[in-house]
Amino acid sequence: MKKSIKKFFVIGVISAIIMNQSIMPAMALCKTMYVEKKEISNEQEDTQISEIDDLMEKKCEALIQKDNTKCEDINNELEEKGVETMSISQIIKLTGEVPKLDSDGNTEQNLRAASAATFQTKYSTYTYKNKKYKVMRVYATPNGKTGPLYKTGNSTVKNSKSLEAIAMNLIKITSSSVAGVVNEPIGIVQTVYGFASEISNYLSKTSVVSDIKGSYTWAAAETCVFVYFQSPTISGAWNLKGQYSKASVAVGVSVPTLKVKGKKAIAKVLQKSYNKTVTPQNYNSTQKAFEAYKNGGTYKAIGISKVNITGVEGKKVGTIKLSNPPSPSGI
């Protein structure tokens, strides 16, 4: 009897050791799996959104440069980051937005949005006091066709009087802001001397410019982001709580005619381009949108309402009026 007890005791100890050796790796695996499923913090979410914003900006710049290959490459990168392309009809169905109708009851506005923009979505979460809130972003960017989010133009102006090269403006680009504060407003100013510095042997600061003609080509691409929080009362519904807009502007300047008093006109065409992206403060902020979600209303961080371009002697070249749409279907 004692031998049997001893035998069972030994078997029990061995089994316990074997089980312990089996359980420990399993526990370690569970621990590893738990770490891998660790929730993403607000800071990590913000970093991901910032990376997407950078790609959206680069896509607009590539669009202005008519680099379709680069645009496609960037769209592939966006897709890898969880950004999904959708139609305006899908966006309206998803957000529950009621589109505006024309006098005949047709949704012409939606057709315009569909032909003028590319719509993409990105889902994330926002944590507040240990509670998770679902967030959806709808991005609207121009698709290359002239329309509400993509505007182009050109103009040519000549001088009407003679001035020193350092005193005569060749290009000036300024912006007017609406609601919100612009981080870096457009403030590009270039004189004839600054523009033509590459021909310093022909032109000095005090050279009197007697004849000059400037040709200007410009484009503006507007990016809009609409931030939604899932409705706390209606299942599957989304509430618009953040509205953001920024613009990338490019102006190309060509001077086919330049003559300095006492000298012959230059024999070559001078060319330069000026580029700037204007971003409002708190652009695409989840926190600001969440504050509006908690307090009511919609946070609006609109950058600029228009861009003014003047040329030789400050003569008007063009004014770019930006859309700043209130919603996806409002484009």
Side-chain angles (χ1 to χ4, degrees), residues 48-193:
Q48 291 181 4
I49 296 302
S50 179
E51 290 172 353
I52 291 171
D53 285 342
D54 288 342
L55 287 171
M56 291 288 182
E57 185 174 314
K58 289 177 181 177
K59 186 173 75 166
C60 277
E61 291 170 354
L63 184 144
I64 290 175
Q65 296 165 5
K66 301 187 183 303
D67 190 339
N68 294 330
T69 300
K70 187 173 182 180
C71 285
E72 187 62 33
D73 289 342
I74 291 173
N75 275 329
N76 290 335
E77 286 188 63
L78 288 168
E79 189 176 333
E80 290 174 1
K81 291 183 178 295
V83 176
E84 181 182 0
T85 300
M86 305 185 80
S87 67
I88 183 61
S89 299
Q90 290 174 309
I91 295 296
I92 289 174
K93 185 177 180 180
L94 191 62
T95 60
E97 184 180 352
V98 179
K100 293 181 180 179
L101 306 178
D102 62 15
S103 57
D104 297 323
N106 298 317
T107 57
E108 293 292 337
Q109 196 173 27
N110 298 341
L111 296 175
R112 185 178 67 181
S115 64
T118 296
F119 295 93
Q120 294 168 296
T121 58
K122 169 65 179 177
Y123 295 91
S124 61
T125 58
Y126 184 77
T127 305
Y128 180 73
K129 292 185 177 180
N130 295 321
K131 185 177 179 181
K132 294 287 181 183
Y133 296 84
K134 293 182 179 179
V135 184
M136 176 181 69
R137 278 175 167 79
V138 176
Y139 293 86
T141 54
N143 58 12
K145 297 178 182 178
T146 302
L149 300 185
Y150 186 61
K151 298 172 182 178
T152 62
N154 59 79
S155 181
T156 300
V157 294
K158 296 177 64 177
N159 67 310
S160 54
K161 58 185 177 181
S162 298
L163 279 175
E164 290 184 347
I166 194 66
M168 182 184 287
N169 275 353
L170 181 68
I171 181 171
K172 184 177 181 180
I173 309 173
T174 59
S175 59
S176 301
S177 62
V178 285
V181 180
V182 176
N183 279 342
E184 296 182 17
I186 297 177
I188 295 173
V189 180
Q190 186 85 77
T191 64
V192 173
Y193 175 74

